[in-house]
Amino acid sequence: MGPVTGTAEPATPDVIVAVDGGNSKTDVAVATSDGRLLARVRGPGFEPQVRGVEAAVDVVGGLIAEAASAAGVTLPVRHVEACVANADLPVEEKRLLTAVEQRAWGRTASVVNDTFAVLRSGTAAADAVAVVCGAGINCVGCAADGSTARFPALGRITGDWGGGGGLFEEVLWWSVRAEDGRGPSTALAPAAARHFGVATATEVASRAHLGSLPWGRLHELVPVLCAVAAEGDGVAGAILDRQAEEVALLALTALRRLGLVEKEVDVVLGGGILAARPARLIAGIRLRVGARAPLARIVVAGVPPIAGAVLRGLDAVGGGGAAVEARVRAGFA
């Protein structure tokens, strides 16, 4: 569906639209300024790097039109809050904001990286840091003085390691080496093979290379990794420990840059991997963050990022308060 403009109509009072555009799916919600959820829809991932900016934003436009229709509201609404993946650099956020503003879905609009939605989904504190570990890994931080800490988060070329893409590669790297004799034995190898119904982990890698196993399915190896680590496998445990170190390093670096290392501060953990709360990984993060920032409080986000996007939208229009926040959170629990 093409762009929805609604420029001839007055803004629907006291209604906001929130967008959480991830790599694999996009959630859109319509909510009132008192925290009532009117509609929520889900569609494909937000991929401006694949589709192009205009086409990717038009996909969001179709979802916004669907959600607005379900909610019984007309566009433009009071505000659109878009928290999206692949908006890692300021120039990318600016391009996307221009495209969103041109479509006039709201009288005002904001576009930020989707890690900010995770941050708000976990806390309302002015001093806070969030680390997302899902398909990739990213971190943002905010301080009460208005300063922020961010990372490019473009993958290995900007110093990143981990997330689903990094972890499934580690699973196969160690598994294949265990099978051919280049590395230590690990229960990851038979577990990976068993998960995909083949004889060896090497066959898993071969099928992915040849295309008979969709590359995207390799992310299924992350829960396998967590399960094998929980059973005491040394190689699997070491991989999760490295991920814990990377998450903690991002959080501590953001805290240091914001001058928050010695203050009471929330460190929010989100994204599919962290939201699943694998015991060894979460414990490792707590240990590492606590050793350097003892007053930091680790918070695993209890509601999805779209709830954080809604709360950011309400913040932008002056809504909020404890009762409103509680209503939003209950609507997404």
Side-chain angles (χ1 to χ4, degrees), residues 145-182:
D145 64 6
S147 58
T148 61
R150 297 184 62 174
F151 299 84
L154 303 179
R156 190 170 179 84
I157 60 172
T158 53
D160 310 315
W161 183 90
L167 291 177
F168 80 63
E169 286 184 349
E170 289 294 305
V171 170
L172 287 176
W173 194 87
W174 287 100
S175 295
V176 172
R177 288 171 72 92
E179 290 175 346
D180 66 20
R182 287 179 292 170

Side-chain angles (χ1 to χ4, degrees), residues 7 36 64 73 104 127 131 162 173 193 195 201 208 226 284 297 300 304 319 323:
T7 54
R36 289 179 294 117
I64 289 176
V73 303
D127 293 330
V131 181
W173 194 87
H195 178 78
C226 294
R297 183 172 72 104
V300 181

Side-chain angles (χ1 to χ4, degrees), residues 176-201:
V176 172
R177 288 171 72 92
E179 290 175 346
D180 66 20
R182 287 179 292 170
S185 176
T186 173
L188 284 171
R194 186 166 53 250
H195 178 78
F196 288 112
V198 297
T200 65

Side-chain angles (χ1 to χ4, degrees), residues 161 167 170-171 174-175 184-189 191 221-246 278-285 287-288:
W161 183 90
L167 291 177
E170 289 294 305
V171 170
W174 287 100
S175 295
S185 176
T186 173
L188 284 171
L221 290 174
V222 177
V224 174
L225 166 66
C226 294
V228 173
E231 294 168 356
D233 183 81
V235 170
I239 295 172
L240 283 191
D241 289 347
R242 183 182 177 191
Q243 184 66 91
E245 180 67 29
E246 289 293 321
R280 181 166 182 149
L281 181 55
I282 300 299
I285 295 167
L287 178 67
R288 289 163 173 81

